[in-house]
Structures are given as structure tokens and as C-alpha cells.
Amino acid sequence: MDLLSDILSRMQLAGTLYFRTSFTSPWSIAVPSFENVARFHFAHRGRCFVRVSGGDEPVQLEQGDLIIIMRGAGHTLFCDPRTENEAVQLDRVVQESGFTGSGTLVYGALGTDQETQLVCGHFAFEKNARHPLLDALPDYIHVRDYGGAAGTWMENTLRVIGAEAGNGQMGSDMIALKLSEIVFAQALRTYLASSGADKPVLAGFTDPAIARALEAIHKDPSHGWSLETLAKTAGLSRTAFAARFTATMSNTPMGYVTQWRMQIARQRLAVSRLPIIDIAEEAGYQSEAAFGRVFKKQMGVAPASYRRQVRQLPV
């Protein structure tokens, strides 16, 4: 599995909610914050503004643009700067529109041709999942002309999501949810290749030498990695690699190895019945005691305690 796919898979990225909207002017909607999700809005037709909580300026979303709002931040969607301060809470909008999750959420004035159609959705991550890549992302990612930036096939994917979401056909919800997970991965890839390429941590994933080391770690996390072997994989001297990795990733090479191993262990403890020693070995530790010390330092609790807290399998 490639580097980005491995990270998102371990973070348990999953689509959780998708729907279409038809908003007619004048309108303004306040979307509350929500834990452990990212949200997206794709301007399928028309335009609008988006102000993310804490942001200095609103984002102008033109037809064909995509915005992904990270970390469940609250935000306001509005048709015109004059309506921003008149925002209606989303729950009230849903209630007044009579939207049941099926079809299109219709809201706004009647008899107007100033319509904005959005395809909206939520992505969820496992509650305790962490990765420097996701932590380093800005509050929002705005991709202009998403179909052009990601390819016309991606715009077509969004059209399919919009057609499937809530239409009541057999399997339509699963199709919309799974396809929309692709939206997040593709938008993130587009961002990393453009405006995110020189930002702290994100720069490491676009630096060819550092990326080679990261890919090796993710391909074989239990390997007995050392600074020397990682530097050799990257094609750099030990000193140059250590300095370059730390500068781009805001972490040491072995610090990254440890953090990633603990994320693997965290996930395995939560979803499997494997003995802790087997999980320790999978994470690169031959001693359960040594693994336990590192896990507790990283996660705040011992492996057995963590498993009891988050176990997803029936007893």
C-alpha cells in the first residue's frame, strides 16, 4: 500500500454522511462544530461564501470549487456578504425544510433563479487516531476548479455522489459514502502537490529522499530501523538525512518510527483479539515490557488498559 493510502487506512478514514442541497437567495446557514470529522462542500452549481470559525476572511466558493474543512470546525455558508450575520442554525434549516435525508435539502426564497447547489459530506477518523500529516493540515483546503485540478473523472465522481446520496435506491448510500472517501484522498494529494508542498511536515511527503524513507517505514514498520539504515534508504549521509528529516517533518526519524508503530499497535489493540506480545512484535518490539513502556508514554495508558477502554469486538 502506498504511503498516503496506508496513513488514511490506519486512521480509519470513513465517509459518514452525504447529501445534496439547493439553496436559493437570500440564505445563510451556520454549521456547528463536530468532533473527529472533516467536512467538504463542492459547488456543483452556482457560488457561495464560506467562513470557517476563526478565519479572517471568507472563502469564495465558485462553481466547480471544493473546500474541505478540517477538525470539525464550525463554519457559516452564505450566499452574499450582506446575509452572513443572519445565519440560521443548520438544525433549524433541516427542520424548516422538512429534509429527511432523502433527496435534496431545499432551503431559501421561492421563485428566484439565484440557486446554489452543493454536494456536502462528512469524513470521520477513529477517535484516537493521530498522524503528523493530518495534524499539519490547515483549517481548510480550498481547491479551485476541482474537476480541472484533480481530473474530470473526479468531478464525475462528485456528480455520482450527488446523484446517489439519499436517493433511496438499493446500495446508493454505500456507493455515495465509499466514493466520497476518494474525494478526501484526491484533494489531499492535490494539496500536497501544490500549495502544501513547502509547509512544515507536509514538505517531508513531497521531498523525494524523505519520502523514500517514509515509504520504507510504512512498508515494514517492524523492521529494526536505525538512523543509519533510514539514511541509506534515503540516499543521504547520516548527518544530512537527520537534519533534512527534522527540518521537513518537525520530528526526528526515530521519533516518527516510534509514533507510527504506536498507531499500528493502537489500532490492533482496538479491533483484534491478538495477544499483546503478538501486537508488540508486529510493531517492532520483541519484549512486551519494552513495548508497554513506549505505548504508555505515547498513549497515556498501558496497552491492556487501552484495549479495555476502546475494545470494539464483543466479549
Side-chain angles (χ1 to χ4, degrees):
M1 189 176 291
D2 68 84
L3 181 57
L4 181 57
S5 297
D6 191 33
I7 292 170
L8 295 180
S9 176
R10 291 287 183 182
M11 299 299 99
Q12 295 179 268
L13 170 70
T16 59
L17 175 66
Y18 298 92
F19 56 95
R20 294 172 292 164
T21 75
S22 174
F23 298 144
T24 49
S25 300
W27 60 273
S28 182
I29 299 171
V31 182
S33 60
F34 200 85
E35 189 178 6
N36 296 321
V37 301
R39 292 156 159 152
F40 80 77
H41 302 291
F42 173 70
H44 176 66
R45 180 178 298 173
R47 59 190 283 274
C48 69
F49 293 86
V50 185
R51 185 186 294 276
V52 179
S53 179
D56 294 330
E57 296 293 333
V59 176
Q60 187 168 327
L61 209 62
E62 298 287 352
Q63 184 167 309
D65 286 5
L66 173 80
I67 186 170
I68 294 182
I69 300 170
M70 298 300 300
R71 292 174 279 278
H75 55 282
T76 303
L77 301 164
F78 51 101
C79 65
D80 185 278
R82 292 172 297 181
T83 68
E84 179 180 2
N85 294 329
E86 301 172 2
V88 178
Q89 290 295 322
L90 179 60
D91 288 349
R92 180 180 160 191
V93 170
V94 171
Q95 182 179 20
E96 292 182 355
S97 69
F99 182 64
T100 63
S102 178
T104 301
L105 171 57
V106 179
Y107 184 76
L110 299 175
T112 175
D113 58 0
Q114 297 179 28
E115 181 190 22
T116 301
Q117 293 184 10
L118 301 174
V119 177
C120 307
H122 288 190
F123 310 100
F125 298 93
E126 198 278 325
K127 182 177 180 180
N128 296 309
R130 294 292 301 273
H131 191 273
L133 173 64
L134 299 181
D135 291 343
L137 291 174
D139 292 338
Y140 64 85
I141 297 172
H142 178 202
V143 183
R144 294 178 174 84
D145 185 22
Y146 188 55
T152 55
W153 67 274
M154 184 51 66
E155 185 171 1
N156 290 335
T157 296
L158 284 161
R159 292 177 186 274
V160 172
I161 293 170
E164 293 287 348
N167 73 7
Q169 296 292 317
M170 288 191 299
S172 61
D173 288 341
M174 177 174 286
I175 291 170
L177 293 173
K178 292 301 179 183
L179 284 176
S180 53
E181 291 167 16
I182 299 171
V183 172
F184 183 87
Q186 179 60 52
L188 184 52
R189 185 166 70 178
T190 300
Y191 179 74
L192 288 173
S194 54
S195 55
D198 60 351
K199 298 189 184 314
V201 178
L202 307 181
F205 291 84
T206 58
D207 181 301
I210 301 305
R212 281 195 296 273
L214 292 172
E215 287 166 0
I217 293 167
H218 282 256
K219 185 177 180 179
D220 190 3
S222 64
H223 181 75
W225 294 111
S226 65
L227 187 57
E228 288 78 10
T229 57
L230 287 171
K232 183 177 180 180
T233 300
L236 297 171
S237 71
R238 183 178 182 276
T239 302
F241 171 71
R244 193 155 157 185
F245 191 101
T246 302
T248 57
M249 294 295 294
S250 301
N251 195 357
T252 66
M254 298 313 298
Y256 181 89
V257 170
T258 299
Q259 288 181 358
W260 184 242
R261 285 173 169 174
M262 292 306 103
Q263 282 299 316
I264 292 172
R266 173 202 60 75
Q267 184 190 40
R268 299 294 277 165
L269 286 165
V271 302
S272 81
R273 297 182 181 276
L274 286 173
I276 290 177
I277 183 57
D278 290 350
I279 294 174
E281 291 174 352
E282 188 176 334
Y285 293 83
Q286 299 305 310
S287 162
E288 184 174 336
F291 165 70
R293 286 193 296 271
V294 176
F295 188 91
K296 185 173 183 179
K297 183 177 179 180
Q298 291 281 323
M299 304 301 296
V301 295
S305 298
Y306 181 84
R307 170 172 268 173
R308 285 193 296 270
Q309 290 174 8
V310 304
R311 188 138 188 182
Q312 299 173 7
L313 294 177
V315 177

